[in-house]
Structures are given as C-alpha cells and as structure tokens.
Amino acid sequence: MAPFTLRWGIISTGGIATTFAKDLLVDPATREVTDVQHAIAAVGSRSVPSAEAFITRLRNAGGASAHGVSHAALDSTTAYGTYEEVFADPAVDVVYIGTPHPFHHPNAKAALLAGKHVLCEKPFVMDLAELDELVAIAKEKNLFLMEAVWTRFHPIAYAVQREIHSGKLGRVRRVTAELSSYAHLDERADNDRMIDPKLGGGALLDLGPYPSVWSMLVLHQHPDNTDQAPQVLDSSQRIYARNGVDELSAWTVRWDGLAESRILCDFTAWTPRDCAAVIDCEHGQLIVEHPLYRPERYRIVPHPSTVAGSSESAPPPPRPGQITEESVHHCPIPAGNGMHYEADEVARCIRDGKTESARMPLAESRVVQGWFDTVRKQGSSVLKDLVGNAGK
C-alpha cells in the first residue's frame, strides 16, 4: 500500500518554519517510516516574493532535504502573499504555524475557521483562554489540533519513559530540568523577539516549554500518576529592566502522591551540558544531557555510596535493585533536525480521523499553559496582567 501523503501549508518563513519545512523533505525511510510521507502544498508570507524565496531556499537546501525535492514534495507548492490564501487553498490539508507567540492564537483560529487542521508551534498561545477557544473551535469543526512540542516524539523521549515507567529505577523522587541560554540581551534591539513584550518576549515562553516536556513525560504520564491537574507550588522571576520581560523564570510543580519537579529557564546562563534534566529515583538517577530540546544521550548513574561524613569509609553494600554502575545510552536522530517525527504523528492522526494526538493531547498542553499563566501572574514582568485575544 502506498504511504499516506499529508499536504502542508506553511505560514511564516522564519528560522523555525525553515527547519520544519526542511524536515518534511527528509526521506521517511531514514527513520524507518513507511506509512506516511509529506508534501508542501503552499507557503504564506508577507509577500509573494518572500514566499517564493523561501521555496527556492528549500529546493536548494541539499543534504537530507534533497530527497523530498527529488520526490516531488515541492513540485506543486504555491507561494502566497497572505496567510488567508494558504487557509483557503483546497490543496492544503493541514497548516503549520511558525509565527511569533502572540500571533499563534489568531493564526490558528483563522486556519481552523477555514476548515484546516492545525499544528501550532510552542508555546501554543499567550494564555489559557486563547487555548480553550482554539480547542472549542477544533472540536466543533471536528478538526485536528496539536501543539508542536517536537521533543516529545524523539527516540530518546520514548526511551527515557520506558526506563522510568518500567520501575527499573524504583520510585521517582524528584525531577529537575533546565534550559538556559546566554542570550546577550544587552546586545539585542528593543524589538528583538527575545525581549520585546509585544512579541511575547522573555525566558518563560521562549524556553519554558522544553524543560516542561520532561516533567510531563516522566511524571504526568507515569502509570502511577493520578493527579491530572498538577499545581505550581512556588515560582520566581528575575526581570530584565530595559524591557520589563523575565530573563529568568523558575517554578516547582507537584503531582500529589507521586513527586515534584523543579523547572528553570534562564537567558543569562548556560544549561549544564551533562545534566540538563535529572530524574532522581529510588535506585539511581537518569540524567538527560543537553541540548534539552534535542538530546541524543542519557546516562543512568548510581547514587553516591560513600557514608555521609566519612570520605574514607567503605561504601555500604548495595540495596536490592540499587544501580551500582553507570551506563550510557545513545538515541540518535539519523537524519534531519528531528521535527519530522511530530509531522509523522500529525499525518497518522489525520489519516486515521483523529482530532488530537494521544502522545501530545490537548489536555496536557492545557496543563503546561496553566503553569505559564500562573508563573507570569505571580511575577512582576510587564506581561504579568496580559489578557490574550480569546473572543476577539
């Protein structure tokens, strides 16, 4: 049977949209996929020449993307000077939204109202009310809707879940996850998307989705979890004075009866490369290495075994099940950047008539968006009292 071909409309021609579009062109066989494939039916930008230039860059990209070019994935691509024309194009099955954060809601809403399925970049929206409105429209129109949290679909994400959820490491005690990136804020213009409040600037929304991934996969989806509404226990923000957005946000979430997670995102430091996420368990630790958004290696390490207060003491005998030796596990992405995995999920869901993904359900997007709202409202950034565009 021939693979199902999903026809994409791409709106925005910036960096993340370019990466996503290039990944659509990677040979599915490189990731052992034979049931779905992708074509780009339309590209929307602020002008037709801009959209045409984007398509030309894709055709000339080479490397892993050359497969799609040579297999007709761009042969029928139409360049449009407005997003509305992409939404109206009957050749488009699903729209990928790669615009800045504050435009996700209006762009996704317009696409859904035009009858298109939607994959929307993270953070999904600016506040929970916007997300609830999108979900309501998608359900009313029986359309697929998903937040593009690509890391959830990487080989390592499944591998880490198997390790933790199998019980091999015993009970989960705590998860800590950090994504920090020294962003040279003082060197950026006031209208740079990283720090411009009008573009949703700040570390919380730009970086926050990534460390949240690991808490959701490990704890929220844990077979022993019964808390579907984990709450923020405490939060803190440090404000970048020039623009009033957060340069650092940190918060703690508790899953009642299971464990807690501490999440950190920071524009003024770097993530520790060898321990971006640490899952502390009864018998040892599982450590995910940086880059946290696209890791390919994790380690399982023993707990420190030296008796407290006596560095010369012999270590105590291992307890039943305790990890005694470190092991290293590689989970490479064989070709492309890794966004094609989420695209494959979208294709299968739409092919099968599903309106949301079991791997990235809308209820879980709602949980994380709720954390962002809470941290923002408890902080003192200029976005503290932001009200989104729901109902407009």
Side-chain angles (χ1 to χ4, degrees):
M1 181 182 296
F4 171 77
T5 300
L6 187 63
R7 303 173 300 173
W8 290 85
I10 309 291
I11 69 163
S12 179
T13 53
I16 196 164
T18 300
T19 301
F20 180 80
K22 286 181 178 179
D23 271 7
L24 292 179
L25 304 177
V26 174
D27 184 358
T30 61
R31 54 189 184 273
E32 300 182 350
V33 168
T34 59
D35 60 326
V36 296
Q37 61 186 13
H38 307 277
I40 299 176
V43 173
S45 188
R46 288 171 291 184
S47 68
V48 171
S50 176
E52 289 175 337
F54 180 86
I55 296 167
T56 298
R57 290 196 299 273
L58 293 179
R59 289 197 173 110
N60 296 331
S65 301
H67 171 86
V69 176
S70 63
H71 285 73
L74 292 173
D75 283 7
S76 301
T77 309
T78 303
Y80 290 115
T82 67
Y83 298 159
E84 289 72 21
E85 290 171 289
V86 175
F87 305 154
D89 190 334
V92 171
D93 300 315
V94 59
V95 174
Y96 168 79
I97 294 172
T99 50
H101 316 333
F103 303 105
H104 288 178
H105 169 268
N107 294 157
K109 182 176 179 178
L112 290 168
L113 290 174
K116 299 302 184 187
H117 305 292
V118 168
L119 175 66
C120 182
E121 264 306 333
K122 72 208 132 350
F124 216 148
V125 287
M126 294 298 290
D127 69 3
L128 200 50
E130 288 188 341
L131 177 54
D132 286 343
E133 183 175 51
L134 295 182
V135 171
I137 295 170
K139 289 184 176 179
E140 178 186 356
K141 292 185 167 291
N142 198 36
L143 293 168
F144 178 85
L145 176 64
M146 190 178 91
E147 185 180 11
V149 186
W150 59 310
T151 311
R152 279 188 180 231
F153 300 92
H154 291 173
I156 194 171
Y158 292 95
V160 167
Q161 276 191 304
R162 286 193 297 269
E163 296 276 16
I164 300 299
H165 296 175
S166 71
K168 169 184 174 181
L169 297 180
R171 179 177 58 85
V172 181
R173 290 171 167 160
R174 184 182 64 198
V175 175
T176 59
E178 172 183 349
L179 182 58
S180 298
S181 177
Y182 183 52
H184 302 277
L185 300 184
D186 290 343
E187 300 173 18
R188 295 178 181 270
D190 284 339
N191 62 355
D192 187 290
R193 72 169 188 86
M194 293 284 196
I195 57 174
D196 188 348
K198 295 178 181 178
L199 296 178
L204 176 64
L205 294 181
D206 193 78
L207 302 178
Y210 289 109
S212 300
V213 165
W214 298 96
S215 299
M216 292 298 290
L217 290 178
V218 170
L219 295 177
H220 199 78
Q221 293 191 357
H222 196 286
D224 293 339
N225 179 41
T226 59
D227 185 357
Q228 296 305 306
Q231 298 299 305
V232 173
L233 299 181
D234 59 71
S235 68
S236 63
Q237 289 190 311
R238 189 172 69 228
I239 305 305
Y240 181 59
R242 176 159 63 104
N243 292 65
V245 299
D246 67 296
E247 62 182 17
L248 178 152
S249 286
W251 63 100
T252 304
V253 181
R254 174 182 293 162
W255 282 260
D256 281 340
L258 185 61
E260 294 180 1
S261 178
R262 185 66 173 169
I263 300 169
L264 170 68
C265 47
D266 185 357
F267 273 156
T268 67
W270 292 105
T271 305
R273 301 204 67 80
D274 60 349
C275 56
V278 179
I279 305 161
D280 188 80
C281 300
E282 181 181 5
H283 302 314
Q285 292 180 331
L286 189 152
I287 299 175
V288 180
E289 299 186 1
H290 193 63
L292 195 62
Y293 46 85
R294 190 188 181 277
E296 294 186 304
R297 196 172 96 142
Y298 68 92
R299 293 174 288 127
I300 296 177
V301 303
H303 290 307
S305 56
T306 303
V307 175
S310 177
S311 61
E312 297 180 358
S313 299
R319 297 175 179 175
Q322 186 174 349
I323 302 300
T324 58
E325 294 183 0
E326 179 172 334
S327 58
V328 180
H329 306 262
H330 297 269
C331 303
I333 294 172
N337 199 55
M339 289 186 164
H340 37 53
Y341 293 108
E342 66 180 357
D344 293 342
E345 172 74 1
V346 175
R348 293 186 181 108
C349 288
I350 292 175
R351 177 197 64 192
D352 298 341
K354 298 178 181 178
T355 56
E356 63 179 294
S357 163
R359 180 69 177 174
M360 183 66 248
L362 294 169
E364 293 191 14
S365 288
R366 199 174 186 282
V367 167
V368 176
Q369 188 67 50
W371 298 347
F372 296 161
D373 281 12
T374 297
V375 174
R376 174 173 53 79
K377 291 174 182 178
Q378 290 179 351
S380 57
S381 79
V382 293
L383 298 177
K384 172 184 174 67
D385 298 319
L386 175 143
V387 176
N389 292 304
K392 299 177 183 178

